Amino acid sequence: MKIFRRLVLPVTLALAVIYVFAFSLFRYYGAVTAAHVLDSPVTVVIDPGHGGEDGGASSGSGVLESQLNLEISLRVRDLFALLGVKTAMIRETDTAVYTGTCNTIREKKVSDIKNRVQMVNAAPNALLVSIHQNYFEQSKYDGAQVFYAKTDGSKDLAERTQQLLREALDQGNHREAKQAQSVYLMEHIKCTGILVECGFLSNAHEEANLRDADYQKKLAAAICAAVRGYISEGWNGNEV
C-alpha cells in the first residue's frame, strides 16, 4: 500500500504534464477512456465554493476566492477526465446555484447551499470534493488544509489528500486533516466528502502561488491522486 501511494502521485503528476504541455491530447485521451468513465464506480462531485454575488474571501490584491475555487476545480475536473473518473460539477461559471425568488443575499446563500447538498446527494455513488481558499486576519499563516465530513471514508480520504498536498506543494506544511465543524454542506451530505482549503488568501506569497497556473495544476494533481488512490483501495460505495 505504501509503494502504491508513492507511485500514485508521480503517475498523476506525469499526467498533469501531459495536461499542461499537450492539451490537444485531452480530447483524444478522453475519447479513448470514455468506456472507463462509464464503468467508474464513483461520481466525483466537484464543488467550487461560493460564486456569483457570493465571492467568498478576498485577497489583498482583490482576487476573489470564488474565482480561484473555480479555476482549480476546472483543472481537477479535466485531470479526472484523463484518469477515466466520472465527475459532476456544481458550477462551471461564476454563478451561484440558488433557485426560486430570492430577494436578499441571505436568501440566495441559503438556497445556494441547500441546492449544493441536494445535487451531491442526488449523484449516483457520489464522492464530494469541495474547493475553497482560507483567510485569516494575520498574514503569517499559510498552508493547505483538508477537512472531512462525518460520513464513512471521509477521514481516510482527507488524510490521503493532506499527505499528498504536503508532498507536492510544501513539505514544511504541518497542518493535519480535521473534521469539518459547523459547515452546512459537510454536515448534510450522505457520501464520502472532503473540503480542501487550498491556501491562505491573506498570505501574499501564498496568494501569488494560488493565482499561478502551474501551482494550480500541482494542486489539482495532488487532489486527483489522493481521490484516485482512495477509489482504488478504499472505496466501498455510498447509498444515496
Side-chain angles (χ1 to χ4, degrees), residues 78-100:
D78 291 348
L79 190 49
F80 270 135
L82 287 174
L83 293 170
V85 176
K86 184 179 179 181
T87 60
M89 293 285 291
I90 294 293
R91 65 181 180 94
E92 295 183 322
T93 58
D94 184 22
T95 54
V97 293
Y98 62 84
T99 53

Side-chain angles (χ1 to χ4, degrees), residues 45-50 90 97 109-110 112-121 128-132 147-151 154 180-196:
V45 181
I46 305 169
D47 170 44
H50 306 284
I90 294 293
V97 293
K109 286 186 176 183
V110 170
D112 177 280
I113 195 62
K114 288 184 176 181
N115 284 342
R116 289 176 196 251
V117 170
Q118 184 178 17
M119 293 167 72
V120 175
N121 289 338
L128 172 67
V129 176
S130 186
I131 302 295
H132 285 260
F147 295 85
Y148 54 89
K150 299 177 182 179
T151 47
S154 296
Q181 301 291 334
S182 302
V183 179
Y184 187 92
L185 177 64
M186 305 303 286
E187 291 179 347
H188 289 81
I189 59 171
K190 300 177 182 178
C191 64
T192 300
I194 59 172
L195 186 154
V196 183

Side-chain angles (χ1 to χ4, degrees), residues 35-47:
H36 299 290
V37 172
L38 294 175
D39 292 338
S40 175
V42 57
T43 299
V44 178
V45 181
I46 305 169
D47 170 44

Side-chain angles (χ1 to χ4, degrees), residues 104-172:
T104 66
I105 294 295
R106 176 178 174 77
E107 289 175 344
K108 291 176 181 179
K109 286 186 176 183
V110 170
S111 175
D112 177 280
I113 195 62
K114 288 184 176 181
N115 284 342
R116 289 176 196 251
V117 170
Q118 184 178 17
M119 293 167 72
V120 175
N121 289 338
N125 286 325
L127 182 155
L128 172 67
V129 176
S130 186
I131 302 295
H132 285 260
Q133 312 302 319
N134 219 330
Y135 188 92
F136 197 74
E137 291 181 359
Q138 298 180 33
S139 62
K140 64 180 180 180
Y141 295 104
D142 63 1
Q145 187 166 19
V146 186
F147 295 85
Y148 54 89
K150 299 177 182 179
T151 47
D152 291 344
S154 296
K155 182 179 180 180
D156 181 11
L157 176 57
E159 290 175 344
R160 289 168 180 262
T161 307
Q162 186 74 54
Q163 177 184 341
L164 291 186
L165 285 170
R166 181 182 301 115
E167 293 175 0
L169 300 175
D170 180 11
Q171 295 188 9

Side-chain angles (χ1 to χ4, degrees), residues 55-69 71 133 135 201-202 207-208 210-211 216:
S58 177
S59 72
S61 64
V63 175
L64 293 177
E65 176 187 355
S66 57
Q67 173 188 335
L68 293 177
N69 293 345
E71 291 174 4
Q133 312 302 319
Y135 188 92
L201 293 182
S202 46
E207 184 245 19
L210 291 166
R211 288 189 286 108
Q216 290 184 4

